Amino acid sequence: MTRTRSLFSLCKATLAATALMAAPLLLSGCGFKPLYGEEKGAVDVTAELKDIYVANIPQRFGQQIRLALQSQMAGDGPEDPRKYKLVVQPTISGEAIDIHGDNTTGRTRMLATAHWQLLTIEQTPQLITQGYAQTLDGYTNTYEQYFAQTLNMESTMGRIAQALGEQITQQVATWFKTHATPADVPDNQPKALYPSPNLIPDSDQGTPMEQEGPDAIPNMATGRAPIDTNF
């Protein structure tokens, strides 16, 4: 009985392995092509990613994004960036949610965005393509434990940097594969302005105004505030 079960388990494992090996062939017949896979006559995406120099990004949060991009684009390494230059401009903001009766908050939600541009490395750099990445994360507030609170925020920002790096790497790799223009935030769309009751007017004729955020809601309505990334 035990031998029969062992033979049955071996057969199941063999069939499962065969199915996994045959899956790429079946998917290729449906038009599926691996993003980082090698294909005869096609662009070697992995080699192109290793040819990208990631420009310096200011502040610690920017350094985390740059390290994530360098690691993800290098792959198995070593990279030799001589052809392209990647310029990334990230922003991050925090929003207080779960407001308590004593005006404290139980959780901080963080929204991060990054606009990136891929340029050629030459005397007169040319813009090749550009795109936009966005991610959302958060952490639970622990006011009684300041050290743990700081660790929570730093861990969250580290996860956000990794997520932005993954999105940008995938978008750049997709462009190398398809030359399709990534989605970007339109610059010609006017942003709404709202009167801010918490600011002192500059004169008796002007009312302080605040622009909408990435979610079309002003900061004063949600408790969102810019995050100090110089920690």
Side-chain angles (χ1 to χ4, degrees):
M1 184 69 177
T2 304
R3 184 180 179 183
T4 303
R5 288 183 179 178
S6 300
L7 289 173
F8 180 71
S9 300
L10 180 61
C11 291
K12 287 180 63 178
T14 303
L15 289 173
T18 304
L20 289 174
M21 293 174 63
L25 297 175
L26 295 175
L27 291 174
S28 63
C30 301
F32 173 82
K33 296 180 181 179
L35 180 59
Y36 300 100
E38 296 182 1
E39 186 180 354
K40 187 177 180 180
V43 176
D44 188 346
V45 175
T46 302
E48 293 293 316
L49 290 177
K50 291 180 181 180
D51 239 335
I52 296 176
Y53 170 73
V54 182
N56 184 50
I57 309 174
Q59 301 182 350
R60 175 167 173 76
F61 180 59
Q63 294 174 357
Q64 291 177 302
I65 297 176
R66 185 170 187 257
L67 289 174
L69 286 168
Q70 288 176 323
S71 174
Q72 293 161 11
M73 289 187 171
D76 56 355
E79 72 273 23
D80 187 21
R82 297 176 179 270
K83 191 185 298 184
Y84 309 103
K85 177 181 178 182
L86 182 68
V87 178
V88 182
Q89 297 175 324
T91 60
I92 187 169
S93 62
E95 179 181 0
I97 58 178
D98 183 25
I99 307 297
H100 302 162
D102 58 355
N103 206 31
T104 60
T105 173
R107 187 165 178 81
T108 298
R109 184 165 56 194
M110 302 178 75
L111 174 67
T113 60
H115 177 259
W116 59 268
Q117 293 179 313
L118 189 65
L119 310 169
T120 58
I121 296 180
E122 52 186 337
Q123 186 174 2
T124 306
Q126 301 293 323
L127 176 62
I128 301 176
T129 185
Q130 59 184 334
Y132 176 82
Q134 179 174 293
T135 188
L136 189 70
D137 207 322
Y139 61 92
T140 301
N141 295 321
T142 52
Y143 295 105
E144 299 82 5
Q145 302 178 21
Y146 299 108
F147 183 66
Q149 176 87 341
T150 302
L151 286 179
N152 287 341
M153 183 178 70
E154 291 183 354
S155 299
T156 303
M157 296 186 72
R159 294 194 303 269
I160 289 175
Q162 289 290 330
L164 287 177
E166 290 174 1
Q167 286 190 37
I168 295 173
T169 301
Q170 188 176 48
Q171 290 176 9
V172 174
T174 302
W175 183 85
F176 281 130
K177 195 79 172 182
T178 65
H179 280 213
T181 304
D184 198 2
V185 178
D187 296 329
N188 56 354
Q189 295 292 333
K191 291 188 175 181
L193 296 174
Y194 300 89
S196 179
N198 300 322
L199 298 179
I200 299 176
D202 296 332
S203 66
D204 56 355
Q205 298 179 352
T207 301
M209 307 293 287
E210 183 176 291
Q211 285 189 342
E212 60 179 344
D215 53 3
I217 300 177
N219 294 344
M220 61 182 176
T222 61
R224 181 171 51 222
I227 296 295
D228 182 9
T229 56
N230 294 308
F231 60 87

